[in-house]
Amino acid sequence: MSNKLTIIVPCYNEEEVLPETVQALGLILTNLIKQGQIDNDSKILFVNDGSQDRTWDLIKKYEDEYPYVTGLKFARNYGHQNALLAGMTTAVKDSDLLITIDADLQDDVNAIYEMVAKYHEGYEVIYGVRSSRETDTFFKRNTALAYYGLMKKLGVELVSNSADFRLLSQRATQGLLEFKERNLFLRAMVPMVGYKSTKVYYARKERFAGESKYPLRKMLKFAVDGITSFSTAPIKMVMNLGFMITIIGIILFIYAIIQKISGHTVDGWASLMISIWVLGGVQLISIGVIGEYVGKAFMEVKRRPRFRIEEDDYSKKENK
Ligand code: UDP
Ligand code: MG
């Protein structure tokens, strides 16, 4: 059985950390090879996501220097998730285990040893989970926490405090790549693939050098993408609001009629009040109904795989 590992590293303007990253990951890789945990031809794959700085030149240089370094270059900036996807698509062909990790060394590279050990125990999906976020700002820590909570409420399965540091087996990666959607939120897609999974804990560190490549604007877009790509709950909320307003309308209707009969009203008040509330409610319900169909169409156009077989004893028997 072969055990070729590829470590996929998305890089966007990372010239400041790259020298350190290539050292740290190279050390891990060579150690794992020495220990016989992974094959000699294991690789580090840097994906240059349209950097404007010297990132690609550095990757080229390391390719010459180290036999285990390879690179992919995007024609422009396509974003972190697409860089991960491209790396996996390229490496999955001949890699038995694939690890994705950020270039900035915030995730503890030493957790890779444990991930590989877990892989040998038979796990195929291994999440890197932050046991502490002390180095994150108060703002980031709490917004992240609230966000994970909200996603759970909306019915999106996520592994709390895990981002894009994980190990996937070859077939789990193939499974992930069968998700054909354009709006990528990989961390919520991975649990949908299935297979035996586990977690490896590590303390998240400060960025080694350089600045975060996720400014608030990008982070917000990513967060909204995460919700709207996995859940039609916001559409259902419109529908529920419609029902609520309609009920209020009906109560007001009764109230207005009583007021009208007892003669407490100005002319036209009752009919105006009733039409505002009842019509408003009916309109919201109608939008909700249309939304339900749009939501269904939205889920259909994703063309997600409907199942993934882990073991097929039937075909095994046929081939005997
Ligand atoms: N990244 C990328 N393309 C982008 C933005 C970020 O490939 O458009 C990479 C970046 O180089 C890093 C990883 O994604 O390896 C995570 O980015 P960063 O560390 O800046 O995010 P943060 O940890 O601040 O959330
Ligand atoms: Mg980072």
Side-chain angles (χ1 to χ4, degrees), residues 88-317:
M88 287 190 287
T89 309
T90 309
V92 74
K93 292 167 209 147
D94 63 346
S95 307
D96 305 285
L97 37 165
L98 297 94
I99 290 178
T100 49
I101 187 169
D102 289 351
D104 59 3
L105 299 174
Q106 277 193 289
D107 305 314
D108 186 3
V109 290
N110 291 306
I112 291 176
Y113 292 118
E114 204 183 330
M115 285 183 171
V116 173
K118 292 269 188 222
Y119 173 81
H120 287 300
E121 281 172 30
Y123 293 98
E124 301 197 42
V125 178
I126 300 151
Y127 303 97
V129 178
R130 302 158 192 170
S131 53
S132 76
R133 303 184 71 121
E134 270 144 38
T135 56
D136 279 344
T137 59
F138 177 81
F139 177 74
K140 185 148 188 172
R141 199 164 54 223
N142 284 287
T143 47
L145 216 67
Y147 182 69
Y148 282 109
L150 176 68
M151 290 289 270
K152 201 158 266 170
K153 281 228 174 70
L154 294 178
V156 185
E157 200 192 328
L158 272 179
V159 178
S160 295
N161 280 322
S162 82
D164 288 307
F165 181 28
R166 66 177 94 78
L167 183 152
L168 294 178
S169 69
Q170 184 175 40
R171 59 177 186 170
T173 309
Q174 282 160 348
L176 185 63
L177 294 176
E178 272 176 34
F179 285 70
K180 295 297 180 201
E181 52 220 73
R182 293 286 167 274
N183 282 297
L184 283 176
F185 193 71
L186 290 168
R187 64 194 68 173
M189 285 153 66
V190 174
M192 295 173 107
V193 176
Y195 295 124
K196 208 170 152 191
S197 69
T198 187
K199 298 168 192 167
V200 164
Y201 294 88
Y202 65 94
R204 185 157 159 100
K205 290 185 247 175
E206 226 52 94
R207 200 173 220 289
F208 183 79
E211 275 167 14
S212 172
K213 308 297 181 288
Y214 265 102
L216 191 63
R217 181 178 49 82
K218 255 193 201 170
M219 218 163 76
L220 276 177
K221 184 186 174 296
F222 189 51
V224 172
D225 263 2
I227 293 174
T228 51
S229 302
F230 282 85
S231 160
T232 48
I235 294 174
K236 296 213 169 65
M237 267 157 49
V238 173
M239 180 94 102
N240 291 339
L241 189 69
F243 279 118
M244 257 163 52
I245 304 261
T246 308
I247 290 170
I248 296 177
I250 291 169
I251 295 170
L252 247 149
F253 177 81
I254 298 167
Y255 174 72
I257 296 277
I258 296 170
Q259 293 289 316
K260 177 91 190 159
I261 292 170
S262 54
H264 291 312
T265 56
V266 186
D267 269 352
W269 176 82
S271 50
L272 258 180
M273 281 312 274
I274 294 167
S275 16
I276 288 172
W277 283 86
V278 175
L279 263 185
V282 168
Q283 279 171 353
L284 278 175
I285 294 177
S286 313
I287 294 173
V289 170
I290 295 170
E292 276 293 318
Y293 287 100
V294 175
K296 291 269 160 18
F298 161 75
M299 284 304 183
E300 288 295 334
V301 294
K302 282 187 188 293
R303 301 241 145 247
R304 283 180 178 170
R306 275 164 298 184
F307 55 81
R308 188 157 181 83
I309 295 166
E310 179 161 1
E311 259 185 271
D312 176 4
D313 291 346
Y314 177 86
S315 308
K316 253 189 234 161
K317 272 204 185 122

Side-chain angles (χ1 to χ4, degrees), residues 5 7-9 18-32 43-46 68 99 101-103 105 107-110 112-113 165:
L5 165 71
I7 303 178
I8 297 156
V9 192
L18 226 47
E20 192 64 28
T21 309
V22 78
Q23 290 297 323
L25 289 175
L27 182 72
I28 307 253
L29 202 77
T30 42
N31 276 342
L32 282 168
K43 295 269 173 337
I44 302 174
L45 173 57
F46 289 106
Y68 50 79
I99 290 178
I101 187 169
D102 289 351
L105 299 174
D107 305 314
D108 186 3
V109 290
N110 291 306
I112 291 176
Y113 292 118
F165 181 28

